[in-house]
Amino acid sequence: MKIVIAGAGAMGSRFAIMLKRGGNEVTLIDGWPAHIEAIREHGLRANLNGEELSVPFPIYAQQEVPTDVQADLILVFTKAMQLDQMMQTIQPMIGAETKILCLLNGIGHEDTIEKYVAADKIFLGNTIWTADLIGPGQVRLFGEGSVELQNLKPGYESEAKEVAAVLADAGLHAAYSENIRYSIYRKACVNGTLNGLCSILDVNIAQFGSTSTARKMVETIVGEFAAVARHEAVELDIPEVVRHIEETYDPAGIGMHYPSMYQDLINNHRKTEIDYINGAISRKGEKYNVATPYCDFLTQLIHAKEEVLEAK
Amino acid sequence: MKIVIAGAGAMGSRFAIMLKRGGNEVTLIDGWPAHIEAIREHGLRANLNGEELSVPFPIYAQQEVPTDVQADLILVFTKAMQLDQMMQTIQPMIGAETKILCLLNGIGHEDTIEKYVAADKIFLGNTIWTADLIGPGQVRLFGEGSVELQNLKPGYESEAKEVAAVLADAGLHAAYSENIRYSIYRKACVNGTLNGLCSILDVNIAQFGSTSTARKMVETIVGEFAAVARHEAVELDIPEVVRHIEETYDPAGIGMHYPSMYQDLINNHRKTEIDYINGAISRKGEKYNVATPYCDFLTQLIHAKEEVLEAK
């Protein structure tokens, strides 16, 4: 199958390597010149569970996307704020039968993708695979993960199952989901609490969880996500989601880690994905006439912090 | 007039010195042993607009409050969270005719004082005098200020004017106010935005003001203060209050300063007065059935930060 990875960062690189090893013809698109350069020179170098690999790929910068390659399947793996730009630049690779799979964290990416592709060609999912970018052209891929996905448009279940099968055949432990929106909202609740709150309080997950006000803040934010989700026929189980978030506080688990937004904003002074997590809930809240003050306030605080730190 | 200063920190020391110089008999009560020790040994040492003073005062620790001194007027000048404890310890000094004047920042202190003193003996106000505590027994008092005050209980206007006259006679530029609650709420809006937001964002006032989300956050918080104040017959002029807050952003004015809460929490790891500013609005909001989510969230964030910093 002709697969394009649109955004060959850490996670895109993992999927590229595994899908290529699974027998697919994989092309990369990326926006980082040094990364493209390194992959052209040495292939994509990876440490995959201890095994050192160097895998050659055709790779194109976004401004040089080929006009003679049409993909069967495109996986978008950009940062949320780069998705729209990426969708524009990969237009030449999208044919009448090209499917788009979006596994990005956050809420509402389908609205962006639907501006460029018909709904019946869009598949949404999420993944718990992990990946680290070590430097240009080099990734570290440890541990196991899985993927769930579903068709955006009702009636395209068999196509979704075909996409899942392509990923599963490559060892990506992919499965069709009956209710991917539930999984997406549930995962967005984790990101919508820990990311922003740990960043603004300058703490790791365990420290956040140890505060006496953590539960009230988490419950209120999850309540806002649930109120918005209800307007999209997703009924979040609030106590279950709160418990799921509170399980991450364990210092023996991921508690000692700083969430990705903390790393982006506080360590690296990069702009965050807040507009696609809490900010997306605020926008949907406005649309559905649901008050989302904690999401609004947290989004405003994170943007203020981005500006103060001159995040790029 | 026999005056007791209950809480002889920076501002209490200013009022003590000026009232004593104005011919009053002034006694101090305080809770800091080193401060009491220093004042007993050297008097209260002050630099008053460049003039070096050393003023002797009788001073008592809270656990040794005399039982044979009844005050005509007691000025409470504690931190907000110490007010209740102070009111308990000064009980022996409160006679049937003793008036209590509270000039503390924040909202709702009258509820605490009324537990110990009848409403007709309570006077509320605020002040823009400043004062710095340099160390035990030593203060720096520069610039000019003023005081406004009013009787808590209707019908006691003439008593309020008498209290104002005592302060005015001592050069404290005190005046009777027709609507002290308006002034208190208006000043609380300044503290209820800049204090918490600068602390949580780790910025000075000008940096905060330069962010694109500052206005929205300030407007929302002031709106919550106004909605609560309305239930107490105080009609805040929201645009005027927002402008008043935005005037503080000027780097040529106080913009380069960090608010007192920032200094307490971030620099000195001390517990903050948040429960008497935004937290007071949350409690009143609950009582009046008014939603105050920004005040709730900001109070929770500040408490979380206090705990993470092990503030004492």
Side-chain angles (χ1 to χ4, degrees), chain B residues 10 13-14 17-18 46-50 130-132 139-143:
Chain B
S13 293
R14 171 183 278 285
I17 286 172
M18 293 181 75
N47 184 324
L48 179 61
N49 292 325
T130 64
D132 289 310
V139 292
R140 190 170 172 280
L141 310 173
F142 271 69

Side-chain angles (χ1 to χ4, degrees), chain A residues 79 105 191 194-196 198-199 205 257-268 270-273 277:
Chain A
K79 286 267 177 195
N105 280 330
N191 292 314
L194 300 182
N195 268 312
C198 288
S199 298
I205 295 169
H257 288 256
Y258 291 83
S260 60
M261 186 179 290
Y262 183 99
Q263 297 177 36
D264 284 343
L265 180 59
I266 307 298
N267 294 343
N268 301 318
R270 294 217 191 99
K271 284 198 175 158
T272 72
E273 297 187 311
I277 309 171

Side-chain angles (χ1 to χ4, degrees), chain A:
Chain A
M1 185 173 257
K2 275 193 188 167
I3 297 177
V4 168
I5 304 289
M11 195 68 88
S13 294
R14 169 183 281 286
F15 277 70
I17 287 173
M18 292 181 75
L19 286 164
K20 178 146 189 177
R21 292 188 124 197
N24 298 285
E25 186 184 321
V26 180
T27 299
L28 312 182
I29 311 291
D30 203 65
W32 184 19
H35 190 52
I36 295 167
E37 188 75 17
I39 292 171
R40 283 184 179 153
E41 200 157 326
H42 308 289
L44 179 53
R45 290 184 293 181
N47 183 324
L48 179 61
N49 292 326
E51 182 187 359
E52 294 288 348
L53 305 176
S54 174
V55 188
F57 286 98
I59 179 164
Y60 299 96
Q62 284 182 243
Q63 62 275 22
E64 56 179 25
V65 164
T67 52
D68 58 347
V69 182
Q70 287 207 337
D72 299 313
L73 174 65
I74 300 178
L75 278 71
V76 289
F77 270 124
T78 61
K79 286 267 177 195
M81 48 281 207
Q82 297 155 352
L83 178 60
D84 194 286
Q85 179 64 34
M86 179 60 86
M87 287 306 302
Q88 286 176 42
T89 59
I90 60 173
Q91 281 297 294
M93 310 187 93
I94 303 175
E97 298 305 318
T98 306
K99 298 183 179 73
I100 310 280
L101 172 61
C102 175
L103 302 179
L104 299 192
N105 280 330
I107 295 284
H109 301 307
E110 62 274 25
D111 299 339
T112 304
I113 300 172
E114 271 198 87
K115 297 197 295 183
Y116 303 97
V117 183
D120 60 297
K121 294 291 182 292
I122 301 173
F123 301 84
L124 298 178
N126 63 27
T127 178
I128 57 170
W129 286 98
T130 63
D132 290 309
L133 192 66
I134 307 296
Q138 206 171 354
V139 291
R140 188 170 173 282
L141 309 173
F142 271 69
E144 291 295 312
S146 61
V147 174
E148 312 179 84
L149 65 88
Q150 191 180 18
N151 43 301
L152 176 62
K153 189 168 180 177
Y156 291 80
E157 290 72 17
S158 64
E159 286 82 349
K161 286 172 187 169
E162 285 166 27
V163 173
V166 172
L167 271 55
D169 288 348
L172 283 158
H173 304 159
Y176 172 77
S177 165
E178 290 286 350
N179 193 355
I180 196 66
R181 284 179 182 277
Y182 190 96
S183 303
I184 288 174
Y185 266 107
R186 183 172 181 267
K187 193 169 180 193
C189 286
V190 180
N191 292 314
T193 49
L194 300 182
N195 268 312
L197 293 169
C198 288
S199 298
I200 214 68
L201 288 169
D202 195 5
V203 292
N204 66 31
I205 295 169
Q207 285 177 304
F208 168 69
S210 75
T211 66
S212 63
T213 54
R215 172 162 294 173
K216 189 74 194 162
M217 292 191 275
V218 166
E219 283 176 345
T220 309
I221 292 171
V222 171
E224 293 180 3
F225 275 71
V228 162
R230 196 166 300 129
H231 283 262
E232 299 183 351
V234 173
E235 284 293 335
L236 285 181
D237 175 346
I238 297 178
E240 188 282 326
V241 175
V242 171
R243 273 197 307 277
H244 173 55
I245 293 167
E246 291 184 340
E247 281 165 12
T248 67
Y249 301 165
D250 185 354
I254 63 164
M256 302 309 282
H257 288 256
Y258 291 83
S260 60
M261 186 179 290
Y262 183 99
Q263 297 177 36
D264 284 343
L265 180 59
I266 307 298
N267 294 343
N268 301 318
H269 297 189
R270 294 217 191 99
K271 284 198 175 158
T272 72
E273 297 187 311
I274 195 77
D275 282 338
Y276 303 90
I277 309 171
N278 305 85
I281 296 300
S282 293
R283 288 192 301 277
K284 284 177 182 280
E286 204 164 332
K287 180 170 145 194
Y288 302 136
N289 202 22
V290 169
T292 58
Y294 273 51
C295 286
D296 302 348
F297 194 8
L298 190 53
T299 302
Q300 290 156 1
L301 285 169
I302 292 290
H303 281 316
K305 193 77 188 173
E306 287 173 343
E307 292 172 27
V308 168
L309 295 175
E310 299 179 9
K312 304 253 184 289

Side-chain angles (χ1 to χ4, degrees), chain B residues 86-269:
Chain B
M86 180 61 85
M87 287 305 302
Q88 287 178 40
T89 59
I90 62 173
Q91 281 296 295
M93 312 187 92
I94 303 175
E97 298 306 316
T98 305
K99 299 183 177 76
I100 309 279
L101 173 60
C102 175
L103 302 179
L104 298 191
N105 281 329
I107 295 284
H109 301 306
E110 61 274 24
D111 298 340
T112 304
I113 300 173
E114 271 198 88
K115 296 197 294 182
Y116 304 97
V117 183
D120 59 298
K121 295 291 183 291
I122 301 174
F123 301 85
L124 298 178
N126 64 26
T127 179
I128 58 169
W129 286 99
T130 64
D132 289 310
L133 191 67
I134 307 297
Q138 207 170 354
V139 292
R140 190 170 172 280
L141 310 173
F142 271 69
E144 291 294 312
S146 60
V147 175
E148 311 179 86
L149 65 87
Q150 192 179 19
N151 42 302
L152 176 62
K153 190 167 178 176
Y156 291 80
E157 291 72 16
S158 63
E159 285 83 349
K161 286 171 187 170
E162 284 166 27
V163 172
V166 172
L167 271 55
D169 287 347
L172 282 158
H173 304 159
Y176 172 77
S177 166
E178 292 285 350
N179 193 356
I180 196 66
R181 284 178 182 279
Y182 189 97
S183 303
I184 289 173
Y185 265 107
R186 183 171 181 267
K187 193 169 180 193
C189 286
V190 180
N191 291 314
T193 49
L194 301 182
N195 267 313
L197 293 168
C198 289
S199 299
I200 214 69
L201 288 168
D202 196 4
V203 293
N204 66 32
I205 294 169
Q207 285 177 305
F208 169 70
S210 75
T211 66
S212 64
T213 53
R215 173 161 293 174
K216 189 74 194 161
M217 291 191 275
V218 166
E219 283 176 345
T220 309
I221 291 172
V222 171
E224 293 180 2
F225 275 70
V228 162
R230 196 166 299 129
H231 283 263
E232 300 183 349
V234 173
E235 283 294 335
L236 284 180
D237 176 346
I238 297 176
E240 188 282 326
V241 175
V242 170
R243 274 198 306 280
H244 174 54
I245 293 166
E246 290 183 341
E247 280 166 12
T248 67
Y249 302 165
D250 185 354
I254 63 164
M256 302 309 282
H257 287 256
Y258 291 83
S260 59
M261 186 178 290
Y262 183 99
Q263 296 177 34
D264 284 343
L265 180 59
I266 307 299
N267 293 343
N268 300 318
H269 297 189

Side-chain angles (χ1 to χ4, degrees), chain B residues 51-69:
Chain B
E51 181 188 358
E52 294 289 348
L53 305 176
S54 175
V55 187
F57 286 98
I59 180 164
Y60 299 95
Q62 285 181 245
Q63 61 276 20
E64 57 179 22
V65 164
T67 52
D68 57 348
V69 182

